[in-house]
């Protein structure tokens, strides 16, 4: 299962910098994950200060 980013996201960008496959981009009001590219490594969840990324 791919990861998804919840509305708790504060758009800090930390997760995008950590994603090994470049699946995370800035969206409208929060960052978003391209689920077709995500390999579910969990790196984004590990660096997020508000716990927004989670496995869907
Ligand atoms: Fe990128 Fe890994 Fe997060 Fe998927 S789980 S969006 S591959 S950092
Ligand atoms: Fe949003 Fe967390 Fe990613 Fe920062 S690390 S952009 S708060 S999901």
């Amino acid at each position: 299962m791919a990861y998804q980013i919840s509305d708790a996201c504060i758009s800090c960008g930390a997760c995008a910098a950590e994603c090994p496959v470049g699946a995370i981009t800035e969206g409208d009001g929060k960052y978003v994950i391209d689920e077709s590219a995500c390999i579910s490594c969990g790196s984004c969840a590990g660096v997020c200060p508000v716990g927004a990324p989670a496995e869907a």
Side-chain angles (χ1 to χ4, degrees):
M1 298 290 280
Y3 274 63
Q4 292 183 343
I5 294 173
S6 78
D7 290 345
C9 174
I10 57 172
S11 296
C12 72
C15 56
E18 288 296 318
C19 181
V21 294
I24 308 176
T25 55
E26 187 169 11
D28 186 14
K30 67 173 189 173
Y31 274 59
V32 292
I33 293 171
D34 177 351
E35 292 182 41
S36 66
C38 176
I39 56 172
S40 298
C41 70
S43 292
C44 51
V47 297
C48 181
V50 296
E55 219 161 2

